[in-house]
Amino acid sequence: MAEATVQDLTPEEAARLASVEASTDALTALVEDLSSSSRRTRQLAARVINLLAQREPELLVPFIAQLIDALYRPEAQTRWEILDALTVLAPEHAKDCGAAYEGAEAALFDEISAPLRLSAFKFLTVWGATERRRSEKVWPIVDEAIQCYHGDLEYRDMLALLFAFAHGQIAGSVAAELAGRLHFDAENGKGSYLRVRSREIYDALVKRFKLESPQKRARAKKDDAADEDEE
């Protein structure tokens, strides 16, 4: 998702952002607003936190636990803004952000909000790409999402995120199953973007991991690895 410019901000958002950049107390109050009884207050707080993450992410590191708690608010906007903020933090603070896994998983399969699903997919692929074990943890639900949203508009953006995931610190088994999943589209995908992008990811995985005849993930009754807690 594109970083907002100054012109994109409402006067209220701009004023709040300036205040939290200048004052720790104002930032603490902003994070506390994520627990407000007012939906609008929560949404504004989440929006400003996402904007702050794009500009000065380290200011939010002491509040990661509170951000993760906000993934359980009822409205979609609060959740997608916070997921986007956590996505920025994940590469450098992956261990702390691991506790967001359950909230992100729930958001990934939200039946109403496409932006929320996409933000969850982005967080999971970015976090999963930070370490091989994490890639193994996220892969079962990422694979399920690929199948669920294959024909949806956001799948184009998901392919771009899968390209980055494929170049991250992922396990060889994950790489093989991702290549197997994308093989059909790489050969027969409808539309040039789908076919070309899938081929690009597939070829990169085959070359990087020296794969031979990669197969998509076999269905299992229970994914024990996905149930393990992040250390």
Side-chain angles (χ1 to χ4, degrees), residues 114 117 144-159 185 190 194:
R117 295 193 295 266
E144 185 177 351
I146 292 171
Q147 297 171 72
C148 287
Y149 307 125
H150 183 273
D152 292 358
L153 291 175
E154 65 262 36
Y155 188 68
R156 289 173 62 93
D157 294 320
M158 288 181 174
L159 272 177
D185 282 343
K190 295 181 179 179
L194 176 62

Side-chain angles (χ1 to χ4, degrees), residues 52-62 85 88-89 93:
L52 182 63
Q54 313 304 321
R55 294 166 59 137
E56 298 186 66
E58 291 303 312
L59 292 178
L60 293 170
V61 173
V88 175
L89 297 173
H93 305 280

Side-chain angles (χ1 to χ4, degrees), residues 12-13 15-21 23-36 40-53 60 63 66-67 70 82:
E12 186 176 17
E13 290 168 350
R16 198 76 187 273
L17 181 59
S19 71
V20 300
E21 288 179 316
S23 167
T24 301
D25 289 342
L27 177 54
T28 299
L30 179 73
V31 174
E32 289 175 351
D33 279 350
L34 291 172
S35 299
S36 171
R40 184 182 182 281
T41 299
R42 294 193 300 266
Q43 289 174 324
L44 174 62
R47 169 67 171 156
V48 175
I49 285 169
N50 187 13
L51 293 169
L52 182 63
L60 293 170
F63 303 99
Q66 292 96 315
L67 300 188
I82 295 301

